[in-house]
Amino acid sequence: MSMYKRHILPLFACLFLGMGWSAMGQATITSSSVAANNSTVSVTFSEAVFSGSGGSGALDAADFVLGISGGTATLGATTPTSISVSGNTYTLGVNLSGTPDGAETVTISPASSAIYNGGGTVSATSQSNNTETLNDQAPPVISTIASSKFTWGAYLNAADDDINGVVTVATTGAENNQTVTITLNGAAYTALVTSNVAKVTITAAGLQALTDGNTYSLTADVSDAAGNPANQKTSSNFTVDTTIPVISSLSPTTNSFVKTAHVGYTLSETVETGSVVYTRTGGASDSSSPYTQSLDSDELNSGVRALAALTNAPSLNDGSVYEISFKAKDEAGNISTVVKVTNITYDTTLPSITSARLLDTDENGVIDEIALEMSEAINDASVDFGDFKIAGGSVTGFSAGSSAASANSYDTSDNDKWLTLEVSVIGTSEFTVEYENDDDGTDIADLAGNENANANAKTNTVDVVDEAKPVISLVYIYDTNFDGLIDKLVIIFSENIDTDDGAVPVAGDFGDITLPDGTKATLSSASFTDPGGSAKTVTITGITS
């Protein structure tokens, strides 16, 4: 062996083995880690490192450069905020801007010409094993929960709480199958997130436990898979209104006669919408029926609405009979029970007097009643007997059908088409009847309130039908030859008379005439005077017995 091989090679071997591989290469990063809260990152070098090339000098934060990519957080500075060392491991403070969402990758690199091993070799800025994914610290977000996200909306009504309700909650950053919790009235309800939406069922029992008239909100909570909780979201308010509106005190009442389409009613609360429906059920045909009229403005207010025309009033058909139904819905959506009145006769035809029947009801030779026949049923309360005038006598009273003392067979019930006037006259002679309209508010009116058709004429002469039979009022007897036997009679009737054939009376026109002594008068040879319809008296002479 030459002197070179014996002395020089062992010298190199000794130097190589004594100094290790560092004399031949750089110190490298062998591993890295990140703190759970992302505040620091750590790197471990393959050997001891120094800030100077002479194998001395402690590292400081400026000897490292941080980088970041992806996610939502960024670096406030690329230089670490702090540094600590344990052996070959260096822990570096990280200045983050924003909240990491777990998609960020942080790179830890030596600064240029900043880190050396003991042999003075500088570590390259490009390393392996020097990246870490930040932990997800971004909480999920719950979107605004407006009342439109409740299946019942801004009001919970009587129908809504009969079934389960659903609250739709939209999230951002909450993974599928994360649990959304809704808290309402102290009770919790849950559902799983699917594609950033959770539909949480609120049970009917839970809804029914809410107090009518109160206002409520609910809260929503969710966490992401990393356990980051979202800020609790409070929903918009909703009001519980399970009181159904009530419609009462309807007018007109069932079985009424009306001349207008006016209606009246009482509402238990102000309503959002309402309607009145007129449906023809009888009487004259009406091809336009039914009429659905919407309530408007003040007609929707709570309280009493007096009988009056609707803003949207229908044009009903004269003579038709209607059913009128009422319905309303309040702001919460509660729908009232439909209420109705039936058998409403719509009548705009003016009544008129058809005839006046003169009656001697007790057949005593004196007309005591007039039965007025009307074109339709009349409201007895509208009659003022003082509006009637008769020739040769006076009207003394009015008998209102079955509830009064009318003796005739025509006027047998109240509020029918017959009116009975009590009169004071002499005899049974036909006389004129006049109706005077004095515009005093008591003119004859039908059941719907339509006044007499001739209400604009001050005096109306009524067609008279004389049904009062003439009767014998007085008989004078004579013995003209003073022989003790009656031979002449003067018969006075209650009114002017005539024979049914217009001829002079004959014996056959009279029945048996019994004289005061009990004998029957013989008229075979008698003579008769002819009243001819213009006299009340018949004189019979030549009577024998």
Side-chain angles (χ1 to χ4, degrees):
M1 176 181 296
S2 67
M3 182 65 69
Y4 176 82
K5 289 182 178 178
R6 285 201 315 264
H7 297 285
I8 300 302
L9 288 178
L11 176 62
F12 276 100
C14 182
L15 290 173
F16 181 83
L17 293 173
M19 297 178 63
W21 290 103
S22 58
M24 301 297 294
Q26 62 174 316
T28 60
I29 296 174
T30 58
S31 65
S32 63
S33 63
V34 62
N37 63 359
N38 298 315
S39 61
T40 62
V41 290
S42 297
V43 290
T44 299
F45 283 91
S46 59
E47 57 185 298
V49 291
F50 307 94
S51 62
S53 60
S56 64
L59 300 185
D60 59 27
D63 292 328
F64 292 89
V65 176
L66 302 178
I68 195 169
S69 62
T72 57
T74 60
L75 290 173
T78 58
T79 300
T81 59
S82 64
I83 187 170
S84 63
V85 62
S86 176
N88 293 339
T89 299
Y90 292 82
T91 300
L92 307 172
V94 181
N95 179 12
L96 290 174
S97 177
T99 303
D101 62 7
E104 297 87 355
T105 299
V106 172
T107 302
I108 311 101
S109 302
S112 179
S113 301
I115 299 175
Y116 299 85
N117 65 8
T121 302
V122 67
S123 292
T125 58
S126 177
Q127 295 283 322
S128 300
N129 305 316
N130 66 330
T131 60
E132 283 296 322
T133 300
L134 296 183
N135 296 305
D136 180 8
Q137 289 182 300
V141 176
I142 301 172
S143 299
T144 298
I145 308 174
S147 60
S148 60
K149 300 300 182 180
F150 316 144
T151 51
W152 58 86
Y155 289 90
L156 180 77
N157 64 35
D160 294 328
D161 71 2
D162 288 339
I163 58 175
N164 293 342
V166 174
V167 177
T168 300
V169 179
T171 62
T172 302
E175 298 84 354
N176 285 349
N177 296 318
Q178 290 302 111
T179 299
V180 170
T181 300
I182 291 291
T183 303
L184 172 62
N185 197 33
Y189 308 89
T190 62
L192 299 180
V193 173
T194 301
S195 300
N196 289 317
V197 174
K199 292 183 178 294
V200 184
T201 297
I202 311 298
T203 64
L207 295 176
Q208 290 165 6
L210 303 179
T211 302
D212 185 25
N214 284 2
T215 296
Y216 294 86
S217 61
L218 50 84
T219 59
D221 293 280
V222 70
S223 296
D224 63 16
N228 300 304
N231 289 329
Q232 186 179 76
K233 182 68 71 174
T234 299
S235 73
S236 297
N237 291 338
F238 67 92
T239 301
V240 178
D241 180 358
T242 55
T243 300
I244 295 174
V246 176
I247 308 173
S248 60
S249 303
L250 307 181
S251 55
T253 56
T254 291
N255 299 325
S256 292
F257 287 75
V258 299
K259 62 179 180 179
T260 68
H262 296 180
V263 293
Y265 49 84
T266 297
L267 286 173
S268 62
E269 61 177 292
T270 296
V271 296
E272 184 176 54
T273 62
S275 63
V276 180
V277 180
Y278 301 74
T279 304
R280 182 253 175 196
T281 57
S285 61
D286 184 356
S287 60
S288 298
S289 170
Y291 303 86
T292 300
Q293 312 303 125
S294 297
L295 299 183
D296 186 44
S297 190
D298 292 346
E299 297 164 356
L300 300 168
N301 291 343
S302 64
V304 177
R305 181 185 186 276
L307 184 69
L310 293 171
T311 300
N312 304 308
S315 297
L316 302 181
N317 184 64
D318 184 29
S320 296
V321 178
Y322 296 91
E323 171 188 277
I324 307 176
S325 60
F326 301 75
K327 183 172 70 173
K329 182 181 74 171
D330 65 16
E331 188 177 8
N334 296 300
I335 300 175
S336 71
T337 299
V338 175
V339 291
K340 61 184 66 176
V341 291
T342 58
N343 198 33
I344 306 300
T345 302
Y346 182 71
D347 175 13
T348 56
T349 299
L350 306 182
S352 60
I353 304 173
T354 302
S355 64
R357 298 178 182 270
L358 310 183
L359 306 173
D360 176 8
T361 60
D362 53 9
E363 297 182 346
N364 67 349
V366 177
I367 293 174
D368 52 12
E369 291 185 348
I370 300 175
L372 292 172
E373 182 181 9
M374 305 298 297
S375 60
E376 59 179 301
I378 294 298
N379 180 5
D380 287 342
S382 70
V383 178
D384 179 1
F385 69 83
D387 290 343
F388 290 90
K389 301 294 184 289
I390 61 176
S394 61
V395 179
T396 60
F398 165 64
S399 296
S402 63
S403 62
S406 59
N408 67 76
S409 60
Y410 295 107
D411 190 7
T412 58
S413 62
D414 297 333
N415 298 325
D416 61 4
K417 64 186 296 185
W418 292 94
L419 306 174
T420 297
L421 300 178
E422 308 295 338
V423 296
S424 175
V425 296
I426 297 174
T428 57
S429 297
E430 182 177 316
F431 49 80
T432 58
V433 179
E434 293 181 344
Y435 172 66
E436 295 183 355
N437 173 24
D438 53 12
D439 293 327
D440 64 353
T442 57
D443 300 310
I444 292 178
D446 62 19
L447 300 182
N450 299 297
E451 290 191 353
N452 174 42
N454 301 106
N456 293 325
K458 288 299 181 185
T459 301
N460 306 291
T461 301
V462 182
D463 291 334
V464 171
V465 178
D466 184 2
E467 294 188 6
K469 299 176 181 179
V471 298
I472 296 173
S473 301
L474 191 62
V475 178
Y476 292 97
I477 57 177
Y478 297 91
D479 176 8
T480 60
N481 56 9
F482 305 104
D483 60 0
L485 298 175
I486 295 173
D487 56 11
K488 176 182 175 181
L489 296 175
V490 176
I491 304 173
I492 301 175
F493 288 85
S494 58
E495 61 179 300
N496 293 341
I497 61 169
D498 198 358
T499 57
D500 55 4
D501 58 5
V504 177
V506 296
D509 292 325
F510 293 88
D512 292 337
I513 297 177
T514 301
L515 300 175
D517 60 4
T519 62
K520 295 186 182 300
T522 300
L523 304 179
S524 57
S525 300
S527 298
F528 301 85
T529 59
D530 183 9
S534 59
K536 299 179 180 179
T537 302
V538 175
T539 300
I540 307 175
T541 58
I543 299 172
T544 59
S545 58

